[in-house]
Amino acid sequence: MEEHYNNKHINRREFLKIVGITAATSTAAFYGCNTQESNKVSSSTANGATGEMTYRSFPGIIDDKISILGYGCMRWPTVPSPDGKGDLIDQDAVNKLVDYAMAHGVNYYDTSPVYVQGWSEKATGIALKRYPRESFKIATKLSNFSNFTRENSIKMYKQSFIDLQVDYIDYYLLHSIGNGGIETFNARYIENGILDYLLEERKAGRIRHLGFSFHGTTAVFDEVLAMHEKVHWDFVQIQLNYLDWQHATGRNVNAEYLYAELEKRKIPAIIMEPLLGGRLSNVPEHIVARLKQRRPDSSVASWAFRFAGSPEYVLTVLSGMTYMEHLQDNIRTYSPLIPLTEEEKQFLYDTASLMAQYPTIPCNDCKYCMPCPYGIDIPAILVHYNKCVNEGHVAESSQDENYRKARRAFLIGYDRSVPRLRQANHCIGCNQCSPHCPQSINIPKELQRIDKYVEQLKQQKL
């Protein structure tokens, strides 16, 4: 993955030329915050014409005042490349999203050298450079997934400063530990001396807070967390939502356990995948009705965001907001955050139990599996399949009552969602994708299963 990223490097002038960024940019107003500190977690709101964003801080642990809504920069909007080969980030759209977020109090931005196929840090840096450095917090990661050498890791770390156009990084993460077990963790960060290097960088002030993001097994989480007394993890980023709270799939660990271990040690938690890659905003119709009955004027997604933001030791909740309407809805949910009551939590636990019965593929649309060397749009295929499962458009037999409707919806939706040259029938099973999947999905197996189902629908042989 790093090799692909390194091949993507171009200078800033070339980058600006490709994505068509103009020199004239506007700066939106940023709203500060008033905080009443306590000896535990501090929550506050920022007063302004645009609403009252909730902020969190942990006096004595993390003194920054962080917006409870954090911007995840792994899903920036894209446009087709002029040469027809792939997509490029739409920098003008990114700027508009950042302007709106900043104007409404969002001050935490999370990126990585490998997001959006290597372009996210550059685009995020360009958008934020237009604001005073003290008005935002930037988080990025050491994403040394395939090249563990000290030389490559330090090169990636230093390149982040260049791409983000900053001279310090507020929150720096060891990226997605857990995949590959503790042996892989040791190879990526211990045996090459990189963790010691980063600790020195924190001491020098170039890293202000050091932590890690986690996808993996309980054994790895426990062992790395046990390093806290020596390393002093400033924060930990975990996957937390009302489905994963007690129903985590694959090798992932229930969020209830992860959060409890952090709370026990008073380590602030940063939350990723509050919507499970959109799965908790695109739920079955009877689940929509269930949620709407309780809060008719609130979006389906708002339930998931309130759940993710309610625990006391959550610092911020990341959302990869590609579209303005998603950003606006999330800002409404968190301006201010109304924490869930105990009765509402139980309501969501029961909702999760109902949802766990649906045979969806645990794809979060993170795109870590991309690009496929054969051009297959893996996330789009899996997202379409899950959508059809939730909508009742995956028929088990041609004898099903709604077979004709389900068949038509699946096939037409498939062709609209995924160009035919990028569909599952082109998978040769090379398995370059699966090792990068945080959810441990056997991607070739799922693609082959979906392709077989599509062929059966086409031939009406179910």
Side-chain angles (χ1 to χ4, degrees):
M1 194 173 286
E2 286 74 19
E3 292 173 356
H4 175 81
Y5 165 71
N6 290 336
N7 289 338
K8 283 276 188 180
H9 277 316
I10 59 175
N11 64 43
R12 185 170 184 270
R13 183 183 300 242
E14 292 169 329
F15 180 72
L16 295 176
K17 182 178 179 181
I18 288 175
V19 295
I21 302 168
T22 60
T25 56
S26 61
T27 301
F30 176 74
Y31 293 88
C33 60
N34 294 317
T35 304
Q36 304 214 346
E37 295 187 352
S38 68
N39 58 4
K40 296 179 70 178
V41 181
S42 175
S43 291
S44 64
T45 59
N47 297 311
T50 54
E52 299 184 340
M53 172 65 65
T54 294
Y55 290 82
R56 290 271 174 84
S57 66
F58 295 80
I61 304 173
I62 290 180
D63 293 325
D64 294 335
K65 309 303 185 293
I66 302 297
S67 55
I68 190 67
L69 176 61
Y71 216 124
C73 305
M74 68 181 294
R75 295 186 175 99
W76 283 135
T78 58
V79 292
S81 173
D83 61 10
K85 298 179 180 178
D87 297 322
L88 295 171
I89 286 181
D90 184 344
Q91 189 66 46
D92 286 337
V94 172
N95 290 354
K96 290 175 183 176
L97 289 166
V98 169
D99 288 344
Y100 193 91
M102 292 288 282
H104 290 76
V106 178
N107 68 356
Y108 188 96
Y109 296 82
D110 171 270
T111 183
S112 157
V114 297
Y115 286 172
V116 202
Q117 300 182 44
W119 296 113
S120 178
E121 283 188 326
K122 285 181 180 289
T124 304
I126 290 169
L128 290 174
K129 185 66 175 179
R130 302 168 301 141
Y131 291 86
R133 180 64 182 90
E134 66 276 8
S135 67
F136 61 86
K137 310 301 178 188
I138 195 75
T140 193
K141 308 171 182 74
L142 185 53
S143 310
N144 58 346
F145 295 126
S146 58
N147 186 337
F148 306 156
T149 65
R150 181 182 177 87
E151 180 184 17
N152 180 73
S153 300
I154 293 176
K155 179 181 179 182
M156 177 174 279
Y157 167 71
K158 291 183 176 180
Q159 188 64 43
S160 290
F161 287 86
I162 297 171
D163 290 345
L164 290 167
Q165 303 182 59
V166 296
D167 55 12
Y168 65 89
I169 293 170
D170 300 281
Y171 294 82
Y172 197 70
L173 296 86
L174 313 185
H175 193 182
S176 192
I177 72 160
N179 283 327
I182 197 64
E183 296 79 14
T184 300
F185 173 83
N186 288 336
R188 288 176 66 188
Y189 300 116
I190 305 300
E191 294 163 5
N192 56 11
I194 286 300
L195 180 55
D196 289 335
Y197 174 85
L198 296 178
L199 290 173
E200 289 299 314
E201 289 294 285
R202 181 174 65 179
K203 189 182 299 183
R206 285 180 287 274
I207 294 173
R208 295 184 59 236
H209 304 94
L210 182 65
F212 62 88
S213 63
F214 171 77
H215 293 282
T217 62
T218 305
V220 175
F221 185 77
D222 289 347
E223 188 163 345
V224 176
L225 207 57
M227 301 168 61
H228 180 53
E229 290 187 10
K230 176 184 176 182
V231 174
H232 181 74
W233 301 114
D234 295 306
F235 66 97
V236 175
Q237 188 163 305
I238 59 172
Q239 183 169 308
L240 185 152
N241 52 72
Y242 66 82
L243 187 58
D244 280 329
W245 189 252
Q246 295 176 334
H247 299 281
T249 56
R251 292 188 306 154
N252 284 330
V253 181
N254 283 344
E256 181 179 30
Y257 176 83
L258 301 177
Y259 176 79
E261 291 300 303
L262 297 180
E263 184 180 40
K264 186 189 305 179
R265 295 167 175 80
K266 293 182 169 51
I267 300 175
I270 292 175
I271 305 307
M272 56 183 164
E273 298 299 348
L275 285 180
L276 266 177
R279 287 162 60 201
L280 296 185
S281 60
N282 186 28
V283 296
E285 290 182 8
H286 74 93
I287 299 294
V288 173
R290 176 182 170 86
L291 298 175
K292 284 293 185 179
Q293 186 177 19
R294 293 293 297 266
R295 292 173 66 93
D297 296 329
S298 298
S299 68
V300 169
S302 69
W303 279 98
F305 281 99
R306 287 179 63 215
F307 182 90
S310 290
E312 183 182 21
Y313 269 84
V314 168
L315 178 64
T316 190
V317 179
L318 302 176
S319 178
M321 299 164 284
T322 309
Y323 304 106
M324 183 64 75
E325 56 265 34
H326 296 163
L327 173 59
Q328 292 169 337
D329 185 54
N330 293 344
I331 287 172
R332 281 192 295 270
T333 300
Y334 283 151
S335 300
L337 165 66
I338 301 173
L340 293 175
T341 64
E342 290 303 315
E343 191 273 336
E344 287 178 317
K345 289 178 186 176
Q346 187 58 54
F347 171 72
L348 285 183
Y349 297 151
D350 295 341
T351 302
S353 295
L354 292 173
M355 291 188 62
Q357 299 172 19
Y358 280 73
T360 54
I361 300 167
C363 173
N364 293 348
D365 195 22
C366 67
K367 297 181 174 59
Y368 284 17
C369 57
M370 297 294 283
C372 166
Y374 296 92
I376 300 168
D377 193 341
I378 298 166
I381 295 168
L382 302 185
V383 166
H384 172 69
Y385 177 82
N386 284 342
K387 180 175 183 289
C388 289
V389 169
N390 286 335
E391 294 176 351
H393 293 152
V394 176
E396 294 184 7
S397 165
S398 59
Q399 305 305 311
D400 288 358
E401 183 178 348
N402 69 335
Y403 170 73
R404 293 183 65 181
K405 178 182 177 182
R407 176 180 181 272
R408 177 179 173 82
F410 194 103
L411 291 178
I412 292 177
Y414 192 39
D415 284 341
R416 287 177 178 172
S417 302
V418 190
R420 294 196 175 187
L421 290 176
R422 306 190 70 186
Q423 292 181 357
N425 59 312
H426 295 283
C427 176
I428 68 165
C430 70
N431 203 37
Q432 290 193 33
C433 47
S434 293
H436 301 297
C437 178
Q439 309 302 322
S440 305
I441 300 170
N442 185 332
I443 295 173
K445 180 180 178 181
E446 295 294 352
L447 292 181
Q448 289 160 13
R449 181 171 69 86
I450 292 171
D451 180 50
K452 181 179 178 182
Y453 177 70
V454 169
E455 289 304 311
Q456 289 174 331
L457 287 181
K458 288 178 178 178
Q459 299 173 28
Q460 295 190 330
K461 288 186 177 181
L462 277 179

